[in-house]
Amino acid sequence: MVKYTEKSKLKVIKRYLDGQIGYHRLSAEVGIPAFTIRRWVDAYRLHGDGSFARRRDHYP
């Protein structure tokens, strides 16, 4: 089960990257811990839009 969808994560990341709000204030508004938002932003900066796409590994 996924707690946050890719779409919801990207929405939070975009709000932060717009530069109008910091981690802690955004955290209080959306109810997600600031360290989690920071990890999402770091992953987004490193891997781009595909950073939260679900991966489907198939094992033999």
Side-chain angles (χ1 to χ4, degrees):
M1 182 175 144
V2 177
K3 189 168 185 178
Y4 302 106
T5 64
E6 178 182 359
K7 185 177 178 180
S8 64
K9 289 177 184 180
L10 290 174
K11 186 176 179 181
V12 171
I13 291 166
K14 300 285 182 174
R15 282 197 62 205
Y16 173 77
L17 292 177
D18 283 343
Q20 300 295 319
I21 192 167
Y23 288 117
H24 294 286
R25 187 167 157 210
L26 183 58
S27 170
E29 286 184 15
V30 296
I32 299 170
F35 69 88
T36 300
I37 297 171
R38 184 182 304 252
R39 280 194 341 231
W40 292 351
V41 170
D42 290 343
Y44 180 81
R45 286 180 173 156
L46 187 61
H47 301 289
D49 283 334
S51 58
F52 302 109
R54 294 197 62 184
R55 292 167 182 80
R56 296 172 195 217
D57 293 335
H58 298 280
Y59 299 100

